[in-house]
Amino acid sequence: MFIDVELSEEAKADAELAKRLEEACPVDIFAARDGRTEIARENLDECVLCELCLDASPPGAVRVVKLYDGGAALER
Ligand code: SF4
């Protein structure tokens, strides 16, 4: 496991954001279920660091953490 993706509590419970994230991520790391955003943990290492999830989210909603790089994070 080299990548982790974290969501704020607000982001997890935001149905509209869940749909946007599901559409944005090219490797299906986000799933919209019952109005919530879930992380498909089995897909985490497919992350290509494209930042499309960050583009689709308000500031502070999503962090993409590079576990191999001392926990350096992509965030806005
Ligand atoms: S950086 Fe790209 S591949 Fe990684 S979780 Fe975000 S949208 Fe998906």
Side-chain angles (χ1 to χ4, degrees):
M1 176 90 68
F2 299 108
I3 295 282
D4 197 13
V5 173
E6 299 173 356
L7 293 167
S8 70
E9 289 305 314
E10 292 82 11
K12 285 180 194 167
D14 185 330
E16 286 303 312
L17 181 60
K19 281 188 226 153
R20 286 208 303 278
L21 287 170
E22 189 176 69
E23 286 170 15
C25 180
V27 294
D28 296 334
I29 284 173
F30 302 96
R33 289 217 182 87
D34 300 328
R36 294 182 60 83
T37 313
E38 292 184 0
I39 305 274
R41 305 207 71 82
E42 66 277 16
N43 293 346
L44 279 174
D45 279 342
E46 305 297 321
C47 175
V48 291
L49 304 175
C50 66
E51 302 195 15
L52 291 173
C53 54
L54 301 178
D55 292 343
S57 308
V62 178
R63 295 177 81 231
V64 179
V65 183
K66 296 189 259 182
L67 299 174
Y68 56 88
D69 192 12
L74 304 177
E75 58 189 324
R76 298 215 176 119

